[in-house]
């Protein structure tokens, strides 16, 4: 497996589309998925590749003077639980530090609502993120937004 930064906007959107469309359990709302794909172009972006092509990606968004956010992250189902997400996160943390950031944040659906998002929550907790705040209606009442933070 190789983890690398990608700066080509077309390559970023192609990889993002390919992976998100393979993850309908997490990215099944077409409008939201298209927004993630569109917003990936030009963002600080990392990709995991294996012999058969891209298996994961992560891109960042600056949300404050000292904070970057994992705007979107996806790892193909068949490649999950193999350290790819952790490897993507390590390079993303280095990129955020290079930009002078002190914190990394991520938003997901609060634990206890859906099993697939419970796995997502457990992943973020396992790599060092801490619960920061829940916004019960940021997305909608059925999907309370959990914000996690990590000091860099």
């Amino acid at each position: 497996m190789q983890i690398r930064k990608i700066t080509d906007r077309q390559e970023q959107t192609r990889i993002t589309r390919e992976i998100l469309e393979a993850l309908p359990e997490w990215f099944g709302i077409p409008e939201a998925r298209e927004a993630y794909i569109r917003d990936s172009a030009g963002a600080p972006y990392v990709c995991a590749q294996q012999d058969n092509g891209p298996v994961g990606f992560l891109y960042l968004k600056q949300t404050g003077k000292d904070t970057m956010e994992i705007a979107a992250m996806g790892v193909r189902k068949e490649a999950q639980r193999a350290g790819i997400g952790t490897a993507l996160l390590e390079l993303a943390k280095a990129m955020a530090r290079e930009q002078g950031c002190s914190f990394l944040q991520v938003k997901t659906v609060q634990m206890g609502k859906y099993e697939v998002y419970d796995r997502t929550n457990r992943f973020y907790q396992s790599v060092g993120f801490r619960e920061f705040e829940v916004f019960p209606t940021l997305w909608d009442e059925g999907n309370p937004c959990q914000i996690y933070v990590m000091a860099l």
Side-chain angles (χ1 to χ4, degrees):
M1 175 186 57
Q2 177 189 19
I3 306 289
R4 65 185 180 101
K5 296 178 187 178
I6 295 181
T7 56
D8 180 81
R9 297 168 71 93
Q10 288 183 325
E11 188 177 7
Q12 290 170 328
T13 57
R14 180 187 58 78
I15 291 167
T16 303
R17 178 176 300 285
E18 183 180 312
I19 292 174
L20 294 188
E21 287 180 350
L23 298 169
E25 298 92 331
W26 287 272
F27 299 97
I29 301 169
E31 300 80 20
R33 184 177 57 244
E34 290 302 316
Y36 287 124
I37 293 164
R38 181 181 58 251
D39 294 347
S40 70
Y45 194 103
V46 296
C47 176
Q49 293 192 299
Q50 292 180 332
D51 295 336
N52 57 346
V55 294
F57 78 94
L58 179 158
Y59 73 88
L60 299 170
K61 174 175 72 173
Q62 187 102 28
T63 57
K65 182 174 77 68
D66 296 310
T67 307
M68 293 283 265
E69 175 179 49
I70 297 174
M73 178 179 186
V75 175
R76 290 183 173 280
K77 282 182 264 187
E78 65 273 13
Q80 291 178 1
R81 304 196 57 80
I84 293 169
T86 302
L88 289 167
L89 179 62
E90 287 305 312
L91 184 51
K93 285 166 42 177
M95 291 167 61
R97 282 188 204 103
E98 288 170 9
Q99 296 297 313
C101 290
S102 302
F103 301 98
L104 192 59
Q105 73 175 20
V106 66
K107 295 180 185 101
T108 191
V109 176
Q110 185 182 28
M111 182 79 88
K113 296 295 178 183
Y114 308 99
E115 176 53 35
V116 294
Y117 283 104
D118 288 354
R119 291 196 315 258
T120 301
N121 278 272
R122 286 191 292 272
F123 166 74
Y124 286 126
Q125 291 170 351
S126 76
V127 294
F129 280 93
R130 297 292 175 250
E131 289 184 21
F132 182 68
E133 188 170 357
V134 174
F135 289 95
T137 58
L138 180 67
W139 293 321
D140 63 56
E141 289 182 11
N143 295 295
C145 175
Q146 172 70 63
I147 298 180
Y148 287 101
V149 295
M150 169 190 289
L152 297 174

